């Protein structure tokens, strides 16, 4: 029976699941928003909010715990120095999940996870030099 089990298994074993969640949170920190399935989005939101709560302490021990969880020191540096200062006035609810509908291939429900008060970078697609200009 599954009574009072808190974690979502996501169809993976523990080590694979931890690596997946770490990669999703790192992508969220780096790109400021990610698109994934709804169950993964919910797990990512939970882990990301825990990382922000940890980073708000600002101690060396907290930084080391974040590196142990996320496995990428450069991303942890971005979290501590870039994202947490923008969220200093919030007392929780650092992320937002927006449902996008169902994916065409398998019908999985897709969602976007993004930071609430952090501005997402504007991306401009570079033009392909191989394509001729339409005139």
């Amino acid at each position: 029976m599954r009574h009072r089990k808190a974690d979502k298994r996501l169809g993976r074993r523990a080590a694979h699941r931890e690596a997946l969640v770490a990669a999703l949170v790192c992508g969220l920190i780096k790109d400021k928003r990610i698109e994934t399935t709804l169950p993964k989005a919910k797990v990512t939101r939970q882990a990301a909010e825990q990382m922000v709560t940890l980073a708000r302490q600002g101690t060396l021990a907290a930084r080391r715990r974040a590196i142990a969880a996320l496995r990428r020191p450069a991303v942890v540096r971005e979290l501590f120095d870039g994202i947490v200062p923008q969220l200093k006035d919030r007392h929780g609810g650092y992320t937002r999940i927006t449902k996008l509908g169902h994916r065409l291939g398998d019908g999985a429900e897709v969602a976007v996870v993004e930071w609430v008060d952090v501005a997402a970078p504007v991306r401009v697609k570079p033009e392909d030099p191989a394509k001729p200009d339409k005139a």
Side-chain angles (χ1 to χ4, degrees):
M1 285 183 269
R2 200 180 173 279
H3 299 305
R4 297 177 62 94
K5 301 279 186 187
D7 64 333
K8 298 287 184 192
R9 295 193 177 195
L10 300 174
R12 290 159 175 82
R13 294 185 186 241
H16 187 185
R17 187 171 52 249
E18 289 170 10
L20 171 75
V21 172
L24 287 169
V25 172
C26 287
L28 179 62
I29 292 168
K30 202 165 69 168
D31 297 333
K32 310 299 187 263
R33 65 190 315 251
I34 57 170
E35 183 176 319
T36 185
T37 61
L38 187 60
K40 288 180 193 173
K42 290 179 179 180
V43 171
T44 302
R45 174 182 56 191
Q46 182 180 9
E49 299 217 0
Q50 287 174 353
M51 287 296 111
V52 172
T53 302
L54 186 65
R56 286 179 66 130
Q57 295 174 8
T59 62
L60 179 61
R63 189 174 294 260
R64 287 178 175 165
R65 286 176 56 195
I67 291 172
L70 297 180
R71 307 170 185 174
R72 295 186 194 161
V75 174
V76 171
R77 189 176 311 113
E78 171 66 24
L79 173 67
F80 274 69
D81 300 337
I83 292 177
V84 169
Q86 296 179 41
L87 299 172
K88 66 180 179 218
D89 296 330
R90 293 190 70 84
H91 299 291
Y94 308 114
T95 57
R96 164 189 312 128
I97 294 179
T98 307
K99 295 179 183 179
L100 297 179
H102 295 277
R103 195 162 49 197
L104 288 178
D106 59 357
E109 194 167 3
V110 180
V112 170
V113 183
E114 58 190 354
W115 299 108
V116 173
D117 287 338
V118 178
V122 178
R123 293 195 177 152
V124 178
K125 290 186 179 180
E127 292 187 24
D128 191 6
K131 288 186 177 180
D133 291 334
K134 293 180 181 179

